[in-house]
Amino acid sequence: MENGRDVPVWDRPTRIFHWVLVVLVVVCYLSGRNGRFDIHLPAGQALLVLVAARVVWGFAGATSSRFRAFVRPLREISAYLATLPRREPDGIAGHNPLGGLSVVAMLLILIAQASLGLFAVDIDGVYEGPLSILVSYDAAREAAELHAIVVDGLVILVGFHIVAVLFHHVYKRENLTRSMLTGRGRLADGQTPPRFVSDWRAVIVLVLAAAAVLGGIEIALRYF
């Protein structure tokens, strides 16, 4: 990597998504643990909108943000694992193959967590997800219990993510946090810099995601 170059690797929408997601996960976790469902419920819906937008961005965003860039076959994941002992930056324009798996796992667990919350109700029936009226009380309580179980998996996954970032920072000498803040990273020679798209595309994607999630909830309440 001595001959690598510092180039833009992350587009602005992906970076904003990442840090807003961090804030929303923390808010949802703390508000849920402290019984502040007046905060927890709208934050959870905002989280679901954001995740839906990120899924779409995985097909319409910058090349480094697209799923095809970091969801790699097993042989490439195995080959990457063999490079972990090397004390040098990866020099990859985006997520490495192992990090790509964690992104997919994070999105899936967040979708499951937020979706269960839509149907959940607290034990007293005072606070309830917007779609809980579509199911029985027992089903809503089961959704709430699963909601609480899945959050433990989310905490474990976040812990692995933090450990991975520290490993790259201390051992691999690659500051991933700085890259996600500034958008720039060290790219190995021979690697092609990512191609970015207009930020307005991200605005459109976010609006469509909000319409799909919030509109879908409204339609479900009105017609089912």
Side-chain angles (χ1 to χ4, degrees), residues 50-75:
L50 188 67
V51 172
R54 179 61 183 92
V55 170
V56 177
W57 197 244
F59 297 97
T63 53
S64 56
S65 301
R66 297 190 181 191
F67 293 121
R68 66 184 182 188
F70 57 83
V71 179
R72 310 309 303 164
L74 287 176
R75 65 179 183 277

Side-chain angles (χ1 to χ4, degrees), residues 54-190:
R54 179 61 183 92
V55 170
V56 177
W57 197 244
F59 297 97
T63 53
S64 56
S65 301
R66 297 190 181 191
F67 293 121
R68 66 184 182 188
F70 57 83
V71 179
R72 310 309 303 164
L74 287 176
R75 65 179 183 277
E76 291 189 24
I77 297 173
S78 299
Y80 173 75
L81 287 173
T83 70
L84 283 181
R86 300 176 188 170
R87 197 168 187 187
E88 61 182 25
D90 293 332
I92 298 174
H95 296 294
N96 60 58
L98 195 59
L101 282 181
S102 70
V103 171
V104 173
M106 183 73 73
L107 291 175
L108 289 175
I109 201 169
L110 286 171
I111 290 172
Q113 178 73 358
S115 298
L116 286 167
L118 294 177
F119 295 91
V121 63
D122 72 328
I123 195 167
D124 299 319
V126 177
Y127 290 103
E128 56 187 19
L131 299 182
S132 61
I133 62 174
L134 301 180
V135 298
S136 67
Y137 174 78
D138 289 340
R141 284 301 304 149
E142 185 175 351
E145 291 171 2
L146 289 173
H147 187 69
I149 292 172
V150 173
V151 75
D152 292 333
L154 177 60
V155 170
I156 293 172
L157 193 57
V158 169
F160 278 127
H161 178 72
I162 293 172
V163 169
V165 170
L166 291 175
F167 171 76
H168 277 269
H169 183 71
V170 175
Y171 185 80
K172 303 281 279 184
R173 295 175 289 194
E174 187 173 25
N175 194 334
L176 301 182
T177 302
R178 181 185 71 86
S179 293
M180 193 54 71
L181 284 169
T182 66
R184 302 186 69 85
R186 200 73 177 168
L187 193 65
D189 289 335

